[in-house]
Amino acid sequence: MLLSQSETLSLAIPLAIFAFVFGAIIGSFLNVVIYRIPAGRSIVRPPSSCPRCGHRLRPLELIPILSWVLQRGRCNHCGQPISARYPAIEALTGALFAVAAALRPEFPALLFIWAFIAILIALSFIDIDTYEVPDVLSYGGLALGLLAAPFIFPGGFSPALDAALMAAGLLALINGYGVLVVTRGRGNKPEGPVGLQTLYFAAAVGAWLGPAAGLVAGFLNWGLNARSTRVWAAPEALTLGLALLGPLVAWLVPGWPLSAQEALRGLLIAGGGIALAGGLYWAFRSMPEEDEEEVVVLGFGDVKLAGMLGAWVGFWPFVVGMFVAVVVGAVIGLALRERKVPFVPYLALGGVVALFFGQQIINWYISYLGIG
């Protein structure tokens, strides 16, 4: 039975109110996550306390937003100021939960979307504070996105996995080409057993022979490096050049075994697969000492986040979100005159835009070009 407009509105308002209150409560928990995960502390114990004097907060001091207002932004025990960021995060989470409830009110999809938003908020503020992207959140968000795919992603699990790999591959390759430009073709020192050179090699093979062959080549190179005392790596200029040439040849040469679209898909999936697998490997192993001469255009945490976003929104909506992130990040970076800007908050903003409006933007653009 179809609901009338007034009936729909009468249901939407209570849901939005509930979503805001629930989101504010989750935002209060996110404050704990943002503070404790980078510090390597449990997010469960000990209970919340004043960071200045250690006073354990009572229930009335834990009411989102209101407690901070009623306490006039100060600790009841020691009188020291409490950062306004705490209620701001609670209000932001509540507002985004309410917007999500208005735009995607169906269950259980809404529950997953709320989790997606919460993870993005936590990642954004951790990146602002530390310039780090915790693996537990990025890979956890990726796994949750694949689990949620049957409820929120057209086609379910398999297209969501493809999108995750392609999104991660795209950002990793953008970093690679950026490094080549900055280093004038020299690239960085090879890393083993798995590093960026392994990723670029897999992408090059994938661009010419397809994603499966690219992944096999990447894992074989990884295995060879693991069993050898040296790192077997082709020059980055060669592998990245071949990766770029593959789709071009497929497009220009009639009868080529792969179409240009298949070649592009092959290089992105193979590169993204090695990127995410390699990131997971280094999450459980001690990282090699950082080379002070290593050039980085995009942090690898951004690559992992791209994989997570791809699983939730799809590859082409992710591209829309990345465009939003680059434009907003560039504008704010120029306005603040900052040379080093944390990119995760802008990717998170782009991810939210892509989730709710990405496909509509793509459809509008196709219609605008007249090719729909």
Side-chain angles (χ1 to χ4, degrees), residues 355-369:
L355 179 68
F356 293 122
F357 306 111
Q359 194 57 53
Q360 293 94 315
I361 293 173
I362 292 170
N363 293 341
W364 168 83
Y365 187 65
I366 292 174
S367 175
Y368 175 77
L369 295 176

Side-chain angles (χ1 to χ4, degrees), residues 27-43 46-52 85-86 89 121-122 125-126 129-130 134 137:
S28 180
F29 174 69
L30 293 181
N31 280 318
V32 176
V33 171
I34 292 164
Y35 175 72
R36 294 190 182 184
I37 283 185
R41 298 174 55 189
S42 168
I43 61 174
S48 297
S49 60
C50 172
R52 304 292 179 88
R85 197 173 85 167
Y86 291 110
I89 290 175
I121 291 173
F125 282 94
I126 289 174
D129 290 342
T130 67
L137 292 178

Side-chain angles (χ1 to χ4, degrees), residues 50-63:
C50 172
R52 304 292 179 88
C53 67
H55 165 66
R56 180 173 174 177
L57 301 183
R58 298 184 295 270
L60 290 179
E61 296 171 309
L62 291 170
I63 301 173

Side-chain angles (χ1 to χ4, degrees), residues 162-178 196 199-200 203 240 244 264-276 297-300 302-307 310 314-323 326 343 347:
D162 273 13
L165 299 180
M166 291 173 70
L170 177 63
L171 231 63
L173 289 166
I174 288 174
N175 174 72
Y177 292 114
L196 293 174
L199 183 162
Y200 304 148
L240 286 170
L244 199 60
L264 180 63
R265 179 175 176 272
L267 79 90
L268 292 178
I269 286 181
I274 297 300
L276 293 177
V297 174
L298 288 170
F300 207 75
D302 300 331
V303 174
K304 299 171 189 176
L305 177 57
F315 177 69
W316 289 112
F318 166 76
V319 173
V320 172
M322 188 175 69
F323 179 77
V326 170
F343 193 46
L347 270 179

Side-chain angles (χ1 to χ4, degrees), residues 3-10:
L3 298 176
S4 66
Q5 185 175 1
S6 60
E7 289 174 327
T8 302
L9 185 62
S10 66

Side-chain angles (χ1 to χ4, degrees), residues 49-58 61 67-68 71-83:
S49 60
C50 172
R52 304 292 179 88
C53 67
H55 165 66
R56 180 173 174 177
L57 301 183
R58 298 184 295 270
E61 296 171 309
S67 292
W68 187 88
Q71 294 172 208
R72 299 180 180 180
R74 294 184 177 275
C75 172
N76 282 334
H77 187 73
C78 66
Q80 292 296 313
I82 301 172
S83 172

